Amino acid sequence: MTAGEGLLPVADRGRVRRAALRLVRADKRAFAAALLLNALAAGAGLVGPWLVGRIVDEVRAGQGVGAVDRLAPWILVCALAQLLLARWARAVGYRFGERTLARVREEYVERVLALPASAVERAGTGDLTARGTADVAIVGTTLRDVGPELLVNTVQALFVLVAVFALDPVLGAFGLLGLAPIWLALRWYLRRARDGYLAEGAATSEVAEILAATAAGARTVEAFGLRRRRIAASRDALEKSRRTRFYTLFLRTVFFPAVEVTYTVPVAGVLLLGGWLHERGAIGVGAVVTAALYLRQFTEPLDQILMHVEQLQSSSASFARVEGLAQTPGKEGSGPARGPREESATGAPVPVDDRIDVRGVRYAYERGGEVLRGVDLTVRPGERLAVVGPSGAGKTTLSRLLAGIDRPGSGTVTVGGVPVAALAPELLRRQVVLVTQEHHVFLGSVRDNLLIAEPEAADADLWAALAAVGADEWVRDLPAGLDTRLGEGGCSTDGSQAQQLALARVVLADPHTLILDEATALLDPATARHTERALAAVLQGRTVIAIAHRLHTAHDADRVAVMEDGRLTELGTHEDLVTADGAYAALWRTWHGDTAEP
């Protein structure tokens, strides 16, 4: 596995081969049928040249036109049989390719949805977009078009070579020796092609990432006068992409001319050697003609195979990028778990309770300094904890570690004795959920947007979740209620409605711990108050960790944790911390004014 900084992994050759074999085994009957039909078609194709050789020998022996009349119809029958069998084989191969492509696409979607959020953020959406569009399309073209053709041509080429050797081993060996220049050109090409196409794919991902980032941040670019900088970055990425494409073009311009020139060598060599052997009585004219026809027939499938080699290299590189998602570093444990624990049916550890422990946690981003410096914290089940501090203190980073999005560089973050980052996504969703100011409305109906959190939820559960966040009224007013399509081509939602849907998903997920990073910040004041009152009943009995930017949230919490410069400096109730006259008291006075009463 290899991956550039921030990019998703790329599968090595061995893993690509194993993945290809896995796909073949998944539809092995169709693959076996395609092989058998291709073998029969290739066998039928060998009969024609053999019959031509027989005709030559019998005519030379004085049999006359009668030999031609007797054998020529069989040549026509064999040619027709080859045509029908080859078409049947291609049809079976195409169906195999379409089904296999569907499996590749399904696996890709499943793997993308299972990616840790931190991996997606580091790689950027451009790389995922390029793999899910260009790379999957190239793999699809190979499976649907190139694969069946290559299977047909490979079987035909092997049968022709075997037939030449069976006809005369000397001519077969000499014909095979004439293919040596093609083998040398192919080895030269293959040593360079995979790396070249991988570099081309990476450059394409970089272009996609820059374009996506520039489009998403267009207003920011305009506001801060970053137009020239973004243009320069785009030009650099496009230049790198151009160089990688020119390199793969160079490989093709060397490889294909060398191959085309070599095609005539085996046929010419066999004719010369056969004529020399015939003069000495070692072989008949018919055998020489048949061998020459076989090698001439061999040229066509070989030409198709070599033409597809370029597509195979490109497809192999694309498949390596698609398959590489399976090697993305998963949610591994952040350290040894403490205390007893159970195991799920799959053998994965299951938390024994809802207690969250943070011990000696340190964390640093790849392109920045250390953000957290030895944080220790215990969050009791059912507690409401507010985390406050100045901007850049590490509050949001701590919330991401608590939610299992990121793993600590050192130390442990556990829930019920199990590292949070080690929990499977389905189990993690039942334990801890992070709700931020960011929200997303997926293309589909309101019901589709809600069932993401709980696929088995009934309509009554969906309406209850919507009512809990104050969204039931506007959803009932939609043309088709829960079945109303949202997004492009459907009804649009404003920021507050989108966030209410996100909060309704949280209600359906029913976690025991909620981490709120100003989840109602984008709602208008009236709607925010209504939503917060509705959530109060939903949050009853659950653990709530609130990243508080407004200190009234801290005032209502059971305890307040104060973060400063990546460290937890104070921990206690609102009254105790105000009385202690420390950092929190200073924040409180600044927020309320010096005359505010605790």
Side-chain angles (χ1 to χ4, degrees):
M1 178 183 73
T2 60
E5 183 180 2
L7 294 179
L8 295 166
V10 174
D12 57 25
R13 296 176 188 271
R15 189 177 185 92
V16 170
R17 283 194 296 268
R18 290 191 296 272
L21 290 174
R22 185 188 72 244
L23 292 173
V24 169
R25 286 195 297 268
D27 201 1
K28 56 187 177 183
R29 288 186 178 180
F31 186 78
L35 276 179
L36 176 61
L37 290 170
N38 282 319
L40 293 175
L46 295 177
V47 178
W50 178 76
L51 289 175
V52 171
R54 285 285 307 276
I55 290 174
V56 170
D57 285 339
E58 293 197 15
V59 169
R60 284 177 56 83
Q63 296 295 325
V65 179
V68 178
D69 294 338
R70 187 178 69 255
L71 297 177
W74 288 106
I75 297 176
L76 180 60
V77 169
C78 291
L80 181 62
Q82 181 186 21
L83 175 64
L84 295 176
L85 288 170
R87 287 179 62 86
W88 190 5
R90 282 183 171 86
V92 173
Y94 289 147
R95 287 195 291 268
F96 166 80
E98 290 292 349
R99 287 193 295 269
T100 304
L101 174 58
R103 292 189 179 92
V104 170
R105 286 173 171 163
E106 290 170 358
E107 287 182 357
Y108 180 81
V109 172
E110 291 173 357
R111 288 167 177 173
V112 168
L113 294 177
L115 284 176
S118 57
V120 176
E121 290 176 359
R122 285 194 301 269
T125 57
D127 195 17
L128 274 177
T129 301
R131 295 186 190 217
T133 53
D135 289 322
V136 170
I138 291 173
V139 173
T141 300
T142 300
L143 291 173
R144 183 179 57 250
D145 302 327
V146 178
E149 293 293 333
L150 187 64
L151 191 60
V152 170
N153 295 319
T154 300
V155 172
Q156 289 179 348
L158 290 175
F159 269 58
V160 169
L161 278 180
V162 170
V164 174
F165 274 94
L167 184 67
D168 189 281
V170 176
L171 294 180
F174 197 77
L176 191 62
L177 182 63
L179 298 175
I182 295 179
W183 172 248
L184 294 176
L186 183 62
R187 286 197 60 185
W188 177 88
Y189 177 77
L190 293 180
R191 280 199 300 266
R192 295 162 176 80
R194 186 175 189 272
D195 291 340
Y197 282 110
L198 285 176
E200 183 178 321
T204 301
S205 292
E206 186 176 348
V207 171
E209 174 63 25
I210 287 178
L211 291 177
T214 302
R219 293 184 178 179
T220 303
V221 171
E222 182 178 356
F224 289 92
L226 301 177
R227 180 172 172 271
R228 292 182 180 276
R229 186 179 302 178
R230 297 307 298 176
I231 290 176
S234 300
R235 284 177 175 171
D236 290 342
L238 289 170
E239 174 60 22
K240 182 177 180 181
S241 177
R242 185 190 68 82
R243 289 198 302 268
T244 58
R245 290 178 182 273
F246 268 56
Y247 177 72
T248 56
L249 178 61
F250 160 73
L251 295 180
R252 294 193 294 272
T253 56
V254 173
F255 174 62
F256 287 116
V259 167
E260 293 291 340
V261 171
T262 311
Y263 280 152
T264 58
V265 174
V267 177
V270 164
L271 287 174
L272 292 173
L273 178 62
W276 184 77
L277 292 174
H278 174 67
E279 287 184 355
R280 285 155 180 76
I283 193 172
V285 175
V288 176
V289 172
T290 302
L293 289 175
Y294 277 155
L295 288 174
R296 185 67 188 88
Q297 185 176 335
F298 176 76
T299 300
E300 181 178 354
L302 178 63
D303 182 59
Q304 292 297 317
I305 291 172
L306 295 177
M307 288 292 292
H308 291 321
V309 162
E310 183 269 332
Q311 291 173 284
L312 282 176
Q313 292 305 301
S314 175
S315 178
S316 176
S318 294
F319 193 30
R321 286 163 52 78
V322 172
E323 189 66 22
L325 290 184
Q327 299 175 268
T328 303
K331 296 185 175 183
E332 302 169 7
S334 56
R338 300 183 295 108
R341 63 191 185 194
E342 301 175 355
E343 288 190 352
S344 66
T346 60
V350 176
V352 296
D353 56 33
D354 300 344
R355 171 174 165 150
I356 295 176
D357 290 298
V358 180
R359 293 290 176 265
V361 165
R362 293 179 174 272
Y363 185 83
Y365 290 104
E366 290 182 1
R367 296 178 178 84
E370 197 171 42
V371 181
L372 297 180
R373 300 175 173 86
V375 175
D376 291 290
L377 176 66
T378 295
V379 184
R380 299 184 291 265
E383 179 181 26
R384 297 199 175 203
L385 175 72
V387 181
V388 303
S391 178
K395 303 186 298 297
T396 298
T397 301
L398 178 61
S399 70
R400 291 169 61 87
L401 297 182
L402 291 171
I405 296 175
D406 289 321
R407 293 178 297 162
S410 62
T412 60
V413 179
T414 60
V415 55
V418 179
V420 175
L423 296 173
E426 296 79 9
L427 183 56
L428 177 63
R429 188 172 64 240
R430 304 299 182 192
Q431 303 292 323
V432 183
V433 169
L434 172 64
V435 184
T436 69
Q437 299 177 25
E438 299 176 0
H439 51 271
H440 186 72
V441 176
F442 297 92
L443 291 177
S445 66
V446 176
R447 178 183 280 106
D448 295 334
N449 271 267
L450 297 177
L451 291 179
I452 293 172
E454 179 48 71
E456 303 300 324
D459 282 4
D461 300 323
L462 303 184
W463 284 116
L466 291 170
V469 298
D472 56 327
E473 293 185 6
W474 66 264
V475 173
R476 291 186 191 277
D477 291 337
L478 294 175
L482 290 175
D483 293 316
T484 303
R485 180 178 175 82
L486 302 178
E488 185 178 354
C491 292
S492 60
T493 55
D494 57 29
S496 64
Q497 292 171 336
Q499 195 154 34
Q500 284 176 318
L501 287 176
L503 293 173
R505 286 196 287 263
V506 173
V507 174
L508 287 168
D510 194 26
H512 65 68
T513 298
L514 281 181
I515 304 172
L516 305 177
D517 193 352
E518 291 298 318
T520 59
L522 296 181
L523 304 180
D524 60 82
T527 306
R529 286 193 296 272
H530 178 68
T531 303
E532 288 169 353
R533 285 195 300 270
L535 276 176
V538 177
L539 300 178
Q540 189 67 35
R542 289 186 172 88
T543 305
V544 179
I545 303 172
I547 308 301
H549 301 282
R550 295 176 291 188
L551 291 191
H552 73 79
T553 304
H555 180 275
D556 299 334
D558 297 329
R559 287 192 301 165
V560 179
V562 182
M563 297 287 298
E564 293 182 284
D565 194 27
R567 294 182 174 86
L568 182 62
T569 56
E570 295 181 8
L571 182 65
T573 64
H574 167 78
E575 291 78 9
D576 291 342
L577 294 183
V578 171
T579 302
D581 198 26
Y584 179 76
L587 288 173
W588 182 259
R589 286 193 296 270
T590 301
W591 195 61
H592 270 286
D594 294 338
T595 60
E597 294 295 331

